[in-house]
Structure formats: structure tokens, C-alpha cells
Amino acid sequence: MKHWKIDDVAWDGFQPGHVDPALVPLVKAAAMVERNGTDYAIYLNNVFGDDPDFRQAVDHWAIEEVQHGDALGRWAMLADPAWDFMQAFDRYKAGYQVPLEATQSVRGSRTGELIARCMVETGTSSYYTALADSTSEPVLRQVCQLIAADEYRHFKLFYDHMRRYLGREHISFPRRLRIAAGRITESEDDELAFAYHCGNEPDSTPYDHRRCIGAYMGKAMSMYRFRHIERSMGMVFKSVGLTPRGRLSGLAAKLAWRLMRRRQRKMTADATRAA
Ligand SMILES: [Fe+2]
Ligand SMILES: [Fe+2]
């Protein structure tokens, strides 16, 4: 059972006057990455081939991720009626591929795979919370709040399975930390940057990673407030087996906040230069 359906959203309450045009490209890019959840489900089904409980949970999870994409895509088409979500998504699918044929996790272990999934859900949970907090358009806010609640439940789902596998695989703390940090830095890879390109730039414009990730991250990072980072850091700490709301987590959040502000300025400058 899904926790909500697309028709539960009060679409009639859409207020064009409250749309921040700078947020629309982010929503378009996010819609495509979310809708691509079915590919991740195929990959996870392959990696966890002999674990029927987890496979069932993953199939359900993918249905929710696709719904996130469809809800964001629908909102983006309200904000920009000239935009064609399916056309943009087809372009994205044609150019970006998850390693579907893998039978082993690209993270080296199932525990590692699940830690990486926890990082993704930490990122999406905080992202949609930040997006909801930074828009005054009521439909986008409602959609983002519904999605953020799902993402937090997804985090808990992958976390619980991760604990189960950790008991068997005994992956060391430094290794878990490396996997977590590695997955966080991957947010600047092609997945989002290429989605930004397909959602916002014409076919005639060649894909440029630096320009696209700069444009995406420059704006996305500017929506965050310290409380979003503080909460995310707690989730990261929990995932690797550290106390989520202790002194160390607080210090790490302050450091991450400072680094993010600096990165946000660099990304914005990169995008401007590359454009
Ligand atoms: Fe999602
Ligand atoms: Fe999710």
C-alpha cells in the first residue's frame, strides 16, 4: 500500500503567481531521477536475488519512487505548460543507465549497498524538506512534504535491512564510513547533472557536466538551512553506527554546513563560467 496517491494532492490549489522560476528546473531534473526508480529496483533485485523479503520491499519502494517522479513531473507541467515530461524522461533514459546486469553490489557487499541506499534516502529526505520549506506555492509544498515523508520511511527500510546484513557480513567501521562518504560525493556525478540537461536544455545544446551540475547544485544547495544539514548528519551518523545526536554529530553538521556554503558558491560560479 502506498501512503498517498497522486490524486490526494490538491492540484486545484495551484498558484502560478507563487512559482519561483528558479526552482522549476530543479523540479524537472528531480522528476526524472525519481521516475528512474524502476531501474534501481531491477539492479537491487539482482543483487539481493536470494532474499525474497527484501525484494518484495524493493518492488514496493520503486512504486513509490516512480510516483515521486510523476507528481513532480505533473507539477512542473503546471508551472511550465510547454514542458513535456515524458519526452524529457525518454531522453534521459536513452542516455543514462544504471548497471542492470550486476549480480554483486557495486559497493562490494550487501551491507555496503544498503549503506549507500541510506545515504540516497538521507539526501532525498532533506532535499524535499528544504524544497518544501523554500517555496510558497502550495501544491509544490504539499508534494514535497508527502515525498519527504516517504523518503524518511525509505531510509528506515534500508537501515533496518542494513543492520540485518551487518550482523552477517561484519563490514568494518572505516569501510562503512568510506562507502557512506563515497556515495555522498557521487551526488555530483552524471545522474542529476544529465537529468538537469535533459529536463532543461534543448537537444541542440551539447551536454556539459560542469555547467549542468553547477546550475543544479548552485540552486539546490542555496535552499538548505542549517537545520536540514543537522538532521541529515544525524541520519548519516546513524547509518555508519555512530550516535546520531551527539556532540560529534553536531560538530560534523557545523563543518558540513560551512563546506556546503563554500561549495554552493563554487558551483554557482562554475555554472556561470561554463554557460
Ligand atoms: Fe523519491
Ligand atoms: Fe526514496
Side-chain angles (χ1 to χ4, degrees), residues 34 61 65 68 121 124 150-151 154 158:
E34 293 281 350
W61 160 83
E65 297 296 8
H68 297 171
E121 303 296 348
T124 53
D150 279 351
E151 308 297 18
H154 295 165
F158 290 123

Side-chain angles (χ1 to χ4, degrees), residues 14-28:
F14 178 68
Q15 293 187 18
H18 284 258
V19 172
D20 173 356
L23 294 185
V24 180
L26 303 187
V27 175
K28 290 176 177 174

Side-chain angles (χ1 to χ4, degrees), residues 214-227:
Y216 184 89
M217 288 292 179
K219 181 62 191 168
M221 287 174 172
S222 74
M223 302 184 311
Y224 280 79
R225 297 294 168 262
F226 179 67
R227 64 179 183 277

Side-chain angles (χ1 to χ4, degrees), residues 73-124:
R74 182 162 165 181
W75 182 85
M77 287 193 288
L78 283 177
D80 175 4
W83 191 63
D84 186 331
F85 179 32
M86 279 308 117
Q87 202 182 341
F89 183 67
D90 288 344
R91 245 177 101 196
Y92 181 60
K93 283 282 283 186
Y96 183 79
Q97 191 64 59
V98 177
L100 295 179
E101 68 293 338
T103 51
Q104 299 267 309
S105 168
V106 294
R107 312 287 159 190
S109 65
R110 291 184 178 188
T111 305
E113 182 62 46
L114 292 164
I115 290 173
R117 296 317 310 172
C118 285
M119 292 307 102
V120 174
E121 303 296 348
T122 298
T124 53

Side-chain angles (χ1 to χ4, degrees), residues 2-267:
K2 285 188 229 173
H3 290 86
W4 56 280
K5 296 194 207 69
I6 296 249
D7 289 337
D8 297 339
V9 176
W11 297 101
D12 290 347
F14 178 68
Q15 293 187 18
H18 284 258
V19 172
D20 173 356
L23 294 185
V24 180
L26 303 187
V27 175
K28 290 176 177 174
M32 289 190 281
V33 175
E34 293 281 350
R35 200 168 199 280
N36 211 21
T38 39
D39 268 9
Y40 280 96
I42 296 170
Y43 162 75
L44 289 172
N45 265 284
N46 289 342
V47 171
F48 292 85
D50 60 356
D51 185 342
D53 285 353
F54 182 70
R55 292 178 62 169
Q56 197 183 0
V58 155
D59 288 341
H60 178 82
W61 160 83
I63 292 170
E64 294 192 341
E65 297 296 8
V66 171
Q67 177 167 281
H68 297 171
D70 287 342
L72 293 165
R74 182 162 165 181
W75 182 85
M77 287 193 288
L78 283 177
D80 175 4
W83 191 63
D84 186 331
F85 179 32
M86 279 308 117
Q87 202 182 341
F89 183 67
D90 288 344
R91 245 177 101 196
Y92 181 60
K93 283 282 283 186
Y96 183 79
Q97 191 64 59
V98 177
L100 295 179
E101 68 293 338
T103 51
Q104 299 267 309
S105 168
V106 294
R107 312 287 159 190
S109 65
R110 291 184 178 188
T111 305
E113 182 62 46
L114 292 164
I115 290 173
R117 296 317 310 172
C118 285
M119 292 307 102
V120 174
E121 303 296 348
T122 298
T124 53
S125 159
S126 64
Y127 178 74
Y128 292 110
T129 305
L131 190 51
D133 289 351
S134 61
T135 182
S136 60
E137 199 297 301
V139 178
L140 182 61
R141 186 183 297 167
Q142 188 192 6
V143 166
C144 289
Q145 284 168 345
L146 289 166
I147 296 178
D150 279 351
E151 308 297 18
Y152 189 66
R153 277 189 292 269
H154 295 165
F155 170 82
K156 287 205 284 190
L157 166 79
F158 290 123
Y159 176 79
D160 289 344
H161 285 280
M162 186 275 290
R163 294 293 305 173
R164 185 162 63 85
Y165 276 103
L166 184 60
R168 281 187 220 171
E169 295 180 328
H170 306 291
I171 306 296
S172 71
F173 172 71
R175 177 103 196 96
R176 281 179 277 151
L177 199 57
R178 252 199 320 275
I179 292 165
R183 184 58 190 86
I184 293 168
T185 58
E186 278 171 35
S187 60
E188 293 182 8
D189 285 0
D190 281 327
E191 185 179 37
L192 270 168
F194 189 62
Y196 182 89
H197 169 68
C198 295
N200 297 289
E201 297 178 336
D203 262 333
S204 53
T205 304
Y207 171 57
D208 180 289
H209 176 81
R210 209 167 135 141
R211 182 186 66 235
C212 293
I213 200 65
Y216 184 89
M217 288 292 179
K219 181 62 191 168
M221 287 174 172
S222 74
M223 302 184 311
Y224 280 79
R225 297 294 168 262
F226 179 67
R227 64 179 183 277
H228 303 127
I229 300 301
E230 202 176 24
R231 186 167 163 275
S232 301
M233 194 53 78
M235 291 164 81
V236 172
F237 266 50
K238 189 175 160 85
S239 305
V240 297
L242 292 169
T243 311
R245 270 174 291 276
R247 205 175 120 78
L248 191 59
S249 170
L251 285 171
K254 282 188 190 123
L255 180 65
W257 172 245
R258 216 175 298 156
L259 290 173
M260 188 188 209
R261 302 310 297 167
R262 195 188 298 167
R263 191 96 191 114
Q264 191 267 332
R265 286 192 292 272
K266 186 183 179 303
M267 284 290 189

